[in-house]
Amino acid sequence: MATLNSLRIPVLFLFTLLLGTDAYFMHTQNECRFSSNDLHDLEYIQRYVFNKLEAIRYNSTLNKYIGYTALGVKNAERLNTDGSAEQRHANLDSYCRPNAKLVLTNILDKKNIPEPTIKIRSASHSSHKHTSMLVCSAYDFYPRGIKLTWLRDGKEVTHDVTSTEELADGNWFYQIHSHLEYTPKSGETISCRVEHASLPEGKEVKWDPNMSEVKRNKVIIGASGLVLGLIITIAGVVYYKKKSTGRILVPSS
Ligand SMILES: *[C@@H]1O[C@H](CO)[C@@H](O)[C@H](O)[C@H]1NC(C)=O
């Protein structure tokens, strides 16, 4: 899956004019946008923004300036007819393409794509008595574009599967949860397969009904308690034996 989220390489030119106590803020923003590896959709955008208002935008796909304010519209008309648009268009190949290629070859290799953490858990489910529910979750992946598949004994399950959307965490990462409703059969294996740009071979995680993480922790804590108890008991018995033998060796008058 080689989908990349739309990328921008913004270069900001900032001007601040201080007049009295009010500040006026003018910035020009250059963006190279693409979401393909072959750059067929490469787009060069230049925005002129005054305070928070975008006044003019050059769009290489249209090869035109578009005005968004009265002054912007007036200037766009002029820039579209005096040869400025043509000149701007040259940036697509001279500025955006080489930079985008650098990003694709040096930055966006597999090491730079965060792999999801994958977890399977059972969820209590009350609507039917004889069915169980499993949830396969993938956390902290980027970019969007993930596929979760349930497998029962290696065969893809298409019935009774529901999934959430790819949910944005608000920090550029995403999470997703897929639910499988099923009637348990003894001896079968259930697994969740995850496909994402960060996992060239995909990744399969098996559900272990006997040893969920919580159960395993309980077993470890129980076993540790048992061992500790045994050590204390043995130490106590040894101590008691030594004490009682000592008394016999030194008889009181
Ligand atoms: C540029 O124009 C194309 C064609 O109309 C449009 O699809 C694209 O969204 C525009 N890009 C921006 C950033 O406005």
Side-chain angles (χ1 to χ4, degrees), residues 33 43 45 47 57 59 61-62:
R33 303 167 70 107
E43 185 174 87
I45 300 288
R47 303 174 200 262
R57 181 190 303 175
N59 180 331
T61 307
L62 301 164

Side-chain angles (χ1 to χ4, degrees), residues 71-90:
L71 187 66
V73 168
K74 212 171 94 181
N75 278 294
E77 263 169 35
R78 179 177 54 80
L79 293 164
N80 284 332
T81 47
D82 71 357
S84 300
E86 276 312 316
Q87 253 179 316
R88 273 284 139 227
H89 195 268

Side-chain angles (χ1 to χ4, degrees), residues 17-38:
L17 299 169
L18 282 163
L19 296 172
T21 51
D22 295 327
Y24 294 96
F25 200 67
M26 162 88 187
H27 87 256
T28 313
Q29 182 169 322
N30 290 280
E31 295 172 16
C32 301
R33 303 167 70 107
F34 57 100
S35 57
S36 60
N37 283 321
D38 60 5

Side-chain angles (χ1 to χ4, degrees), residues 169-229:
D169 290 347
N171 57 359
W172 285 38
F173 290 120
Y174 292 90
Q175 57 176 281
I176 191 168
H177 309 274
S178 175
H179 297 74
L180 170 72
E181 207 175 316
Y182 72 113
T183 313
K185 267 190 291 180
S186 69
E188 71 173 340
T189 56
I190 298 181
S191 52
C192 173
R193 192 173 64 211
V194 179
E195 288 161 86
H196 183 250
S198 62
L199 306 164
E201 318 274 272
K203 195 169 182 178
E204 210 173 299
V205 177
K206 266 205 192 107
W207 164 244
D208 186 343
N210 304 315
M211 274 293 165
S212 68
E213 208 171 318
V214 177
K215 258 192 194 168
R216 185 163 44 228
N217 286 346
K218 277 184 187 162
V219 168
I220 290 170
I221 291 167
S224 309
L226 186 68
V227 169
L228 199 66

Side-chain angles (χ1 to χ4, degrees), residues 115 152-153 176 192 202 215 248:
E115 264 186 43
R152 289 182 88 173
D153 286 330
I176 191 168
C192 173
K215 258 192 194 168
I248 292 160

Side-chain angles (χ1 to χ4, degrees), residues 31-103:
E31 295 172 16
C32 301
R33 303 167 70 107
F34 57 100
S35 57
S36 60
N37 283 321
D38 60 5
L39 301 180
H40 71 269
D41 58 355
L42 186 63
E43 185 174 87
Y44 169 64
I45 300 288
Q46 187 178 45
R47 303 174 200 262
Y48 292 85
V49 183
F50 185 61
N51 287 342
K52 285 193 169 178
L53 206 58
E54 187 174 4
I56 313 180
R57 181 190 303 175
Y58 172 77
N59 180 331
S60 72
T61 307
L62 301 164
N63 192 18
K64 258 190 188 159
Y65 283 89
I66 305 159
Y68 295 98
T69 62
L71 187 66
V73 168
K74 212 171 94 181
N75 278 294
E77 263 169 35
R78 179 177 54 80
L79 293 164
N80 284 332
T81 47
D82 71 357
S84 300
E86 276 312 316
Q87 253 179 316
R88 273 284 139 227
H89 195 268
N91 277 4
L92 182 67
D93 286 323
S94 65
Y95 167 65
C96 282
R97 206 170 296 278
N99 277 304
K101 277 185 183 157
L102 281 175
V103 167

